[in-house]
Amino acid sequence: MSGQVMPCSPQEIGSLFLFEKLTPEQLGRLCSEGRVERFEAGPVYTEGEPATCFFVMIEGTVVLSRRVGGDDVEVTRTSQPGVYSGAMQAYLGDRVRQLYNNSMRVTEPTRFFVLPADTFAAVMQEWFPMAVHLLEGLFFGSKSTQRAIGQRERLLALGSLSAGLTHELNNPAAAAVRATATLRERVAKMRHKLGVISAGPYPREALANLIEVQERTAELVAKAPTLSPLEAADREDALTDWLDDHGIPDGWRLAPTFVQAGLDIDWLDQVAADVDPEILPGAIGWLNYTVETELLMDEIEDSTTRISHLVDAAKQYSQLDRAPYQNADVHELLDSTLLMLSGKIGSRIQVVKDYDRTLPKIPAYPAELNQVWTNLIDNAVHAINSTGGEGTLTVRTALDHDQLLVEFRDTGPGVPQEIRGRIFDPFFTTKPVGEGTGLGLDISWRIVVNKHHGTLQVESEPGDTRFQVLLPLTATDDDTPEEPA
């Protein structure tokens, strides 16, 4: 948008704080190579356009905004003379893309001193060479530092996840190894006991009945009910008394195994009815080994299933075999992230999942959303740990107008009002030295806002902090998401 060109007064622009230290000759050069323009209420330039001019407001009211998704979000509104915007990085030349990084409009007739970007770069390099070198170093140095620390942040997160995953895998793997060793021992004893029984003077029908009882016992173990501690103790006492009454040695040792397998006195009575009295003690011992082997095989199955689920969660979290951009179920992403971070969350923090399972899949970059969930959960855990380590982390999903809401709520101390506006800034952190880089929320904000055209915001008070991620339900660019392979 072009404005009305007006006379440029060196004295007037010299009164602006940006130019107040310049000499009359320098002010004269600015007026001769620049211009004063008057803009009526409306847009001056638009975010993403080539940055051709540097604007300094002389009088009026200016509003700066950033594009977030399909909306313009106002970031600054001011009437202070001397405020500036536009091609502020022109002195960097073609080493960076010279684009307007915000949109500017005026709400009333407003006058600007307008300097072409090339002229602004030339006078900066000619009049302030040391400042230009410092600014260049600051700009490129911060970019390099941000990349390096961002990589370090990812490595730290990866190390934490690897440690947590290793811990989670170690428990079921160790259980499977122990169960396998015990199973080998029990099977050997079962073979020995069967040899003793078969070598005795027992009729063929008695052995056939024993095999049938074994089959029925194995079926009962697979359907074992879950008992309360009191119910289990009462049943153990009853089984011990039955075994003692029938002359079965070590009844107190056999009873807990039978109870764990869901067997009761009715089962023992059936065994006694189907097996000859002289074979009953050996039969009960042999059936005990049968029960133990079934329980051990169940334990091995549970352990290996747990390992399989952890591996699946790791694949889901890393998205190694998925398209980078696809229609994704946020609940699958959240579950895999929570499972990967379960070791870090610990047992003292209660995790509550308040999911709206009716929500549709959304077009997204799943691996990067998992990084957002990781950062927000890590911050919530740190906040809860700072108040003693006990609390609740609630992960909620819901439909918010035409967007999908993912909310992380913790019972930590809250985010103080005075720093709430800075928590998404690069390198800002409230964690102790060595525990945070200050890039977690900055990275999360960039992923949500820049890459997914969504919104990341925080609401906080002591005992109730909520980080809310709002994501569009449909694609907002030309990318077409792919269904998972």
Side-chain angles (χ1 to χ4, degrees):
M1 177 179 178
S2 299
Q4 176 188 357
V5 179
M6 306 183 69
C8 178
S9 165
Q11 290 75 19
E12 183 178 45
I13 65 171
S15 66
L16 303 175
F17 66 83
L18 197 62
F19 305 131
E20 61 185 1
K21 298 298 183 180
L22 298 183
T23 65
E25 292 76 13
Q26 290 173 323
L27 293 173
R29 178 178 173 181
L30 290 180
C31 266
S32 64
E33 299 189 24
R35 61 189 182 275
V36 172
E37 288 191 47
R38 183 177 186 271
F39 290 82
E40 298 298 326
V44 178
Y45 64 75
T46 303
E47 181 179 350
E49 294 177 344
T52 58
C53 295
F54 177 70
F55 295 84
V56 183
M57 190 180 73
I58 299 174
E59 62 177 355
T61 301
V62 65
V63 177
L64 298 180
S65 62
R66 293 291 302 272
R67 192 71 172 171
V68 179
D71 303 318
D72 285 318
V73 179
E74 181 177 318
V75 294
T76 302
R77 180 186 292 258
T78 181
S79 299
Q80 179 183 352
V83 295
Y84 53 89
S85 186
M88 294 184 294
Q89 296 174 350
Y91 61 88
L92 297 173
D94 57 6
R95 286 174 289 178
V96 298
R97 295 183 66 192
Q98 295 295 333
L99 302 174
Y100 291 122
N101 60 11
N102 54 37
S103 296
M104 184 166 71
R105 62 185 176 89
V106 295
T107 59
E108 61 179 337
T110 301
R111 287 192 304 133
F112 290 95
F113 173 68
V114 183
L115 197 61
D118 292 343
T119 303
F120 175 59
V123 298
M124 282 288 292
Q125 292 165 357
E126 181 180 339
W127 295 347
F128 313 107
M130 182 177 177
V132 167
H133 286 306
L134 291 173
L135 289 171
E136 288 177 344
L138 178 63
F139 179 84
F140 291 111
S142 65
K143 289 286 186 182
S144 176
T145 301
Q146 187 167 344
R147 282 195 300 270
I149 295 184
Q151 181 69 16
R152 177 63 175 170
E153 181 91 1
R154 291 178 174 85
L155 290 173
L156 288 172
L158 179 60
S160 177
L161 289 171
S162 299
L165 180 60
T166 301
H167 174 76
E168 292 296 317
L169 285 170
N170 182 65
N171 290 334
V177 170
R178 288 194 303 269
T180 302
T182 307
L183 178 62
R184 188 186 305 277
E185 178 187 346
R186 294 297 184 269
V187 170
K189 289 184 177 180
M190 182 188 295
R191 290 196 302 266
H192 174 72
K193 182 68 73 173
L194 179 60
V196 172
I197 293 175
S198 61
Y202 307 119
R204 184 183 187 127
E205 292 77 11
L207 295 178
N209 289 341
L210 184 57
I211 296 297
E212 184 182 352
V213 170
Q214 182 190 37
E215 293 297 328
R216 294 204 309 266
T217 301
E219 293 176 3
L220 289 174
V221 174
K223 302 174 183 177
T226 301
L227 302 177
S228 68
L230 183 59
E231 291 172 330
D234 290 342
R235 185 172 291 189
E236 284 182 20
D237 291 340
L239 290 181
T240 301
D241 291 342
W242 189 98
L243 293 169
D244 290 343
D245 292 343
H246 288 75
I248 309 299
D250 297 331
W252 60 271
R253 184 177 59 82
L254 302 178
T257 302
F258 290 158
V259 171
Q260 184 183 354
L263 306 178
D264 53 18
I265 290 180
D266 290 340
W267 170 77
L268 286 173
D269 287 338
Q270 293 177 18
V271 173
D274 293 337
V275 176
D276 293 337
E278 65 271 17
I279 201 177
L280 182 61
I284 292 293
W286 185 48
L287 291 175
N288 176 63
Y289 292 139
T290 299
V291 171
E292 286 186 332
T293 57
E294 290 294 325
L295 292 175
L296 288 168
M297 285 189 288
D298 286 344
E299 184 177 348
I300 293 171
E301 182 181 15
D302 290 342
S303 299
T304 52
T305 300
R306 170 71 173 164
I307 292 171
S308 178
H309 286 167
L310 286 167
V311 172
D312 287 342
K315 289 175 63 179
Q316 168 70 15
Y317 180 85
S318 63
Q319 296 288 309
L320 287 177
D321 57 350
R322 308 292 180 91
Y325 185 71
Q326 58 175 277
N327 281 325
D329 184 342
V330 294
H331 302 115
E332 292 180 358
L333 306 181
L334 290 167
D335 285 341
S336 66
T337 304
L338 287 168
L339 183 55
M340 293 291 289
L341 292 174
S342 58
K344 189 166 191 176
I345 294 173
S347 59
R348 299 178 65 191
I349 296 177
Q350 180 184 8
V351 177
V352 177
K353 298 179 183 180
D354 183 10
Y355 291 168
D356 179 358
R357 295 286 186 178
T358 65
L359 293 173
K361 293 182 177 182
I362 61 170
Y365 295 88
E368 300 197 27
L369 284 183
N370 280 340
Q371 186 177 2
V372 174
W373 312 150
T374 300
N375 292 337
L376 297 181
I377 292 171
D378 181 70
N379 284 348
V381 170
H382 181 272
I384 294 173
N385 286 336
S386 69
T387 59
E390 291 187 356
T392 302
L393 168 63
T394 303
V395 183
R396 182 171 73 94
T397 63
L399 186 65
D400 190 318
H401 299 92
D402 59 345
Q403 292 182 305
L404 188 149
L405 168 68
V406 181
E407 180 182 81
F408 299 85
R409 178 183 180 185
D410 70 71
T411 55
V415 181
Q417 179 66 39
E418 60 270 17
I419 68 169
R420 207 168 295 169
R422 295 189 290 150
I423 59 174
F424 297 110
D425 293 346
F427 308 112
F428 180 81
T429 180
T430 58
K431 296 178 182 178
V433 175
E435 292 189 19
T437 61
L439 286 179
L441 288 179
D442 173 56
I443 291 171
S444 300
W445 193 91
R446 292 173 185 274
I447 291 172
V448 172
V449 176
N450 294 346
K451 198 146 191 178
H452 289 85
H453 311 290
T455 303
L456 176 57
Q457 58 197 29
V458 61
E459 298 176 359
S460 183
E461 59 184 47
D464 186 6
T465 298
R466 307 182 186 197
F467 279 89
Q468 298 172 329
V469 177
L470 289 163
L471 299 168
L473 297 176
T474 56
T476 56
D477 51 29
D478 296 332
D479 290 332
T480 302
E482 303 174 9
E483 287 293 341

